[in-house]
Amino acid sequence: MSVSTADIKRINPLIPIRGKITKIVQETPDVKTFHITTLDGQKPFTPLPGQLAMFSIPQVGEAMFSITSQGPNHLEMSIKEVGQLTRFLHEVEEGQECGIRGPYGNGFPIDYCRGKDLLFIGGGIGLAPVRSLINYCVENRKDFGKLIVVYGARSYADLVFKEDLFENWPKVENMEVFVTIDRAEEGWNGHVGFVPAYVEELNISPMVTITCGPPIMIKFVLQSLAKMGFNDKDVITTLEMRMKCGIGKCGRCNIGSCYVCLDGPVFTLEQLKLLPPEY
Amino acid sequence: MKTIVKSRLAELLQTMAQDFRVLVPVKSEAISQFVPWQEGLTVNLEGNTVLPPKDIFFPQTEKMYKFKVKGSSVDIEEFAEDVQKQVIFGIRSCDMQSIDCLDKVFLTKGYEDQFYKTKREKTLLVALSCTKPQDTCFCESMGLNPQEAPGADVQGYDLGDALGFVAKTPEGEELLAKYGSLFTEVNAVPQKVEGFNLKADVAGIPEKLAKMFDHPIWGEVSQKCLGCGACAYLCPTCHCFDISGTVKGDQGYKFRCWDCCMFSEYTRMAGGHNPRPSKKERVRNRFLHKLYYFKDRYGQLLCTGCGRCIAKCPVGMDITAIIEKIKEAEV
Ligand SMILES: Cc1cc2nc3c(=O)[nH]c(=O)nc-3n(C[C@H](O)[C@H](O)[C@H](O)COP(=O)(O)OP(=O)(O)OC[C@H]3O[C@@H](n4cnc5c(N)ncnc54)[C@H](O)[C@@H]3O)c2cc1C
Ligand code: SF4
Ligand code: SF4
Ligand code: FES
């Protein structure tokens, strides 16, 4: 049985539906992408790009992850090994059953992006949420202007979604992909250096920008974009706070009077500037 | 007004208990709280309960679902919850107001919390007026009338030797009619409320707090806080929860339990980053949530003036004193 967004709101939103991991892709030494379906092989629900899901192995734990992509019959989440649940996930095999609930959060402002040129900036695992929107734009190519991706990771091995970066996206019409790694290494002929500096180097004129990465990267990217004259309301990013309920009840993920699980995780820089700097 | 002499209260409760689970304030040793009525219990109508009635809808720990693991297969099953029709008898204005806050959290903004809703929907509320505020009460300052509880189905009045009841909703009307034979119709006037010892002037506080995120007062007021969380557990409006689980062998269950933003683990994320690393940020969040954020989000303050946090804080943190400090602070 597949469940629609409306169903999720009607049934108990705190109780996961049963799912199955049908495919596991090793992205980097510590990031794997998991394809998830319901037990009978359907898509658990249809999220908007940028939305989130609470993913659980009930006997181990539950955590919030962005849905990095979706197909007609599955959802994809890219998960970095950092703690107990994620360590367990990195050991399981295809066929493992799980729990999933969602979709949660506001998602990216697609209507606002429609018809515009878009710059995507990602760092490390931070490309995961951004990818959901990139894939959406690629699938609905005519609805968007020029697409530019700037992405960086510590090393070549740490680059996620290599197939998208080097094969799929560069082939898309009017789409450019720029990849950088922090330090030079043998066999890498591409750009070397940090993402914010690379963005400045590329001298991109102001457009709608979607950024996600480690907090320190975001901080410097925002400075670079400001220097380059980007408009605060066109700078879009996602925030992470500890989450438990995902539906604005447990109180955990507040930044001021806003709940990241419900009112976010997507915010424009204009909105962020109105929130207390507590993230 | 429908009245009954206090000596016949047990009879009324006993009769009601045939149709409902009836929750009444009862005192045992140092703790008073709402417990299901049974014959022989002594209802305590003096002052408010030490523990708030929020656990009736939002238990301190609540099982959510169970699971069974077999190899890589995981079965998930809801607990079948048998929720009875219930009456909360003798709830004060401050705690009624807190139920309004909890309703806003659990039943609005896009999602309904089913665990809360099933219990809330089956509950009738019989409020009881306050005539003698305790030393730490300041509900009047929070815009409440200790004699008229917002949202009650029936308003009860302490008339000295008797209790009087006035229906406020059709459901309340029905409830009183059901036990009509036990009441005497009397023209009674509720007693006057004695003055309040504690006061707080909240006019303009949310607006002022909007500009005080970086104010030095948070460093000062947080210094003595122990981070014990007693204030949040005793507060009738605090509603934060954690989701956790237990496993034994190949099965287990998930439960939620009260949590508190005064605990250091509360916002700690994977990798160790914590947006509220010290007491300063945590105490600030508590007071900003109560006196500013909640108002901004739901249109009212998240404090009802019940005074429990003041009465029980081991280091004497007093929210009215903090309101005073905010009032005086320069921004
Ligand atoms: C909006 C949002 C989107 C996200 N998207 C993604 C995504 O796309 N991909 C991804 O990989 N992650 C994502 N995350 C992060 C993810 O939700 C988890 O936080 C992370 O994966 C947790 O992993 P875990 O459960 O294995 O860690 P846990 O085992 O829960 O522990 C994680 C860490 O928490 C700390 N910790 C927890 N409890 C304690 C304790 N008692 N004492 C001391 N330290 C403790 C430790 O530092 C520990 O290493 C996202 C988070 C949010 C909020
Ligand atoms: S009860 Fe007092 S000491 Fe304990 S957390 Fe609350 S304010 Fe701090
Ligand atoms: S903050 Fe204190 S006084 Fe206000 S409702 Fe909570 S416990 Fe009562
Ligand atoms: S995760 Fe519970 S309120 Fe956001």
Side-chain angles (χ1 to χ4, degrees):
Chain A
M1 177 196 69
S2 89
V3 179
S4 72
T5 309
D7 288 333
I8 290 289
K9 286 203 174 190
R10 202 185 65 236
I11 61 180
N12 192 327
L14 290 174
I15 299 184
I17 52 173
R18 291 173 70 188
K20 189 159 75 178
I21 298 171
T22 52
K23 188 175 166 189
I24 301 173
V25 181
Q26 181 98 41
E27 301 284 351
T28 76
D30 61 2
V31 177
K32 283 182 176 178
T33 296
F34 299 84
H35 292 227
I36 295 135
T37 69
T38 57
L39 291 189
D40 58 0
Q42 301 300 307
K43 178 149 64 173
F45 42 78
T46 301
L48 299 167
Q51 280 194 309
L52 309 160
M54 268 289 184
F55 184 58
S56 55
I57 299 290
Q59 68 273 31
V60 187
E62 182 176 50
M64 188 69 100
F65 300 97
S66 8
I67 301 159
T68 184
S69 191
Q70 55 185 308
N73 295 316
H74 77 279
L75 299 175
E76 288 176 35
M77 288 190 271
S78 296
I79 297 178
K80 188 174 169 124
E81 188 180 336
V82 291
Q84 218 182 317
L85 169 67
T86 51
R87 197 165 303 133
F88 185 91
L89 280 173
H90 274 251
E91 309 251 297
V92 304
E93 287 171 12
E94 290 169 3
Q96 170 71 43
E97 290 182 12
C98 56
I100 185 162
R101 54 188 180 93
Y104 297 133
N106 56 356
F108 291 110
I110 293 182
D111 287 337
Y112 184 74
C113 293
R114 202 162 272 135
K116 301 195 170 93
D117 295 340
L118 303 176
L119 167 63
F120 301 95
I121 303 173
I125 181 75
L127 189 58
V130 179
R131 178 179 180 237
S132 63
L133 183 58
I134 299 178
N135 283 348
Y136 181 90
C137 294
V138 168
E139 277 156 32
N140 301 274
R141 187 65 199 87
K142 292 186 305 300
D143 297 349
F144 300 89
K146 188 180 178 71
L147 304 177
I148 304 174
V149 178
V150 183
Y151 174 62
R154 276 189 312 245
S155 70
Y156 178 78
D158 289 304
L159 295 170
V160 292
F161 316 125
K162 291 194 182 70
E163 203 180 319
D164 285 332
L165 292 169
F166 300 114
E167 313 258 334
N168 304 337
W169 294 341
K171 288 196 198 116
V172 176
E173 192 196 331
N174 200 14
M175 177 162 184
E176 282 180 284
V177 181
F178 301 94
V179 182
T180 180
I181 59 174
D182 288 357
R183 272 174 298 276
E185 64 185 62
E186 215 168 304
W188 175 254
N189 309 319
H191 189 274
V192 173
F194 294 123
V195 172
Y198 195 23
V199 170
E200 283 188 47
E201 239 172 78
L202 288 167
N203 208 4
I204 299 162
S205 47
M207 59 177 78
V208 177
T209 306
I210 297 95
T211 301
C212 191
I216 185 79
M217 183 209 89
I218 295 189
K219 192 175 145 207
F220 287 113
V221 164
L222 296 184
Q223 285 176 11
S224 298
L225 296 178
K227 234 194 292 179
M228 295 161 72
F230 281 61
N231 195 322
D232 283 356
K233 75 176 195 315
D234 289 334
V235 174
I236 297 163
T237 186
T238 73
L239 291 185
E240 255 185 57
M241 291 290 275
R242 186 101 183 254
M243 292 184 186
K244 288 285 181 175
C245 72
I247 55 172
K249 311 292 180 204
C250 78
R252 191 169 308 263
C253 69
N254 81 300
I255 299 176
S257 53
C258 123
Y259 284 128
V260 176
C261 66
L262 208 59
D263 312 320
V266 178
F267 297 92
T268 65
L269 186 52
E270 190 180 36
Q271 291 169 325
L272 283 188
K273 284 186 172 170
L274 298 174
L275 295 179
E278 202 173 36
Y279 42 85
Chain B
M1 188 182 293
K2 294 196 170 7
T3 63
I4 188 166
V5 289
K6 281 183 179 168
S7 57
R8 289 186 66 199
L9 177 58
E11 192 185 336
L12 171 64
L13 296 170
Q14 187 62 27
T15 314
M16 280 167 91
Q18 286 160 15
D19 309 311
F20 298 94
R21 177 173 182 249
V22 182
L23 295 141
V24 292
V26 167
K27 189 169 173 179
S28 63
E29 286 159 34
I31 287 292
S32 55
Q33 65 191 106
F34 284 84
V35 300
W37 163 261
Q38 35 174 287
E39 221 167 346
L41 273 184
T42 309
V43 176
N44 177 41
L45 299 178
E46 293 302 308
N48 204 356
T49 52
V50 172
L51 297 182
K54 71 177 171 188
D55 69 317
I56 297 168
F57 308 123
F58 174 48
Q60 185 162 356
T61 66
E62 179 164 40
K63 288 181 181 171
M64 299 174 69
Y65 55 93
K66 49 190 165 183
F67 54 82
K68 215 181 257 160
V69 182
K70 209 155 94 212
S72 62
S73 123
V74 183
D75 201 6
I76 294 172
E77 199 190 321
E78 287 186 42
F79 284 101
E81 202 183 6
D82 183 22
V83 184
Q84 280 170 273
K85 280 204 94 168
Q86 58 188 357
V87 173
I88 305 181
F89 183 91
I91 185 170
R92 309 280 168 148
S93 293
C94 53
D95 289 345
M96 278 299 309
Q97 173 72 13
S98 76
I99 292 176
D100 189 41
C101 294
L102 297 178
D103 282 353
K104 292 218 159 73
V105 172
F106 287 117
L107 303 176
T108 71
K109 298 273 176 200
Y111 292 91
E112 287 178 340
D113 186 296
Q114 297 301 327
F115 298 105
Y116 180 90
K117 192 179 174 202
T118 49
K119 299 185 245 319
R120 179 71 177 88
E121 273 179 346
K122 296 226 168 165
T123 305
L124 288 169
L125 293 147
V126 179
L128 180 65
S129 68
C130 265
T131 46
K132 264 205 256 23
Q134 288 157 286
D135 282 352
T136 47
C137 291
F138 60 103
C139 72
E140 204 175 42
S141 299
M142 305 312 278
L144 292 175
N145 176 350
Q147 294 210 308
E148 295 288 333
D153 293 296
V154 173
Q155 178 67 55
Y157 299 96
D158 194 333
L159 303 171
D161 294 338
L163 295 169
F165 300 97
V166 174
K168 297 285 174 183
T169 64
E171 292 78 12
E173 197 87 54
E174 214 176 289
L175 187 76
L176 289 185
K178 199 167 184 150
Y179 308 107
S181 62
L182 291 169
F183 299 117
T184 317
E185 196 66 49
V186 171
N187 254 342
V189 182
Q191 294 180 342
K192 280 231 160 351
V193 190
E194 285 177 19
F196 281 82
N197 169 44
L198 262 193
K199 290 194 166 49
D201 178 9
V202 290
I205 290 288
E207 295 74 18
K208 187 156 183 196
L209 282 174
K211 290 174 274 178
M212 287 180 65
F213 188 79
D214 289 318
H215 201 277
I217 96 168
W218 306 120
E220 289 160 36
V221 302
S222 63
Q223 247 163 29
K224 60 180 183 178
C225 171
L226 307 172
C228 68
C231 49
Y233 279 64
L234 290 173
C235 178
T237 69
C238 273
H239 56 268
C240 290
F241 62 86
D242 191 9
I243 294 178
S244 200
T246 59
V247 204
K248 245 200 202 126
D250 59 359
Q251 46 195 315
Y253 61 88
K254 290 272 176 189
F255 61 90
R256 67 170 171 191
C257 54
W258 294 354
D259 205 347
C260 170
C261 64
M262 305 298 254
F263 297 154
S264 58
E265 293 289 300
Y266 185 72
T267 45
R268 167 142 57 181
M269 293 197 286
H273 173 64
N274 192 342
R276 292 186 205 124
S278 78
K279 275 192 306 190
K280 183 184 117 185
E281 293 85 20
R282 300 196 280 270
V283 167
R284 170 172 66 193
N285 184 66
R286 173 170 171 81
F287 290 107
L288 286 180
H289 189 201
K290 297 215 158 284
L291 303 170
Y292 164 40
Y293 300 154
F294 197 81
K295 173 97 192 274
D296 194 30
R297 195 170 175 85
Y298 295 103
Q300 64 200 44
L301 296 171
L302 191 65
C303 172
T304 69
C306 76
R308 288 184 178 93
C309 59
I310 304 173
K312 294 291 188 244
C313 173
V315 297
M317 192 81 88
D318 178 343
I319 188 168
T320 62
I322 288 168
I323 292 168
E324 186 69 31
K325 258 194 208 300
I326 296 166
K327 209 90 235 180
E328 287 165 4
E330 280 178 38
V331 290

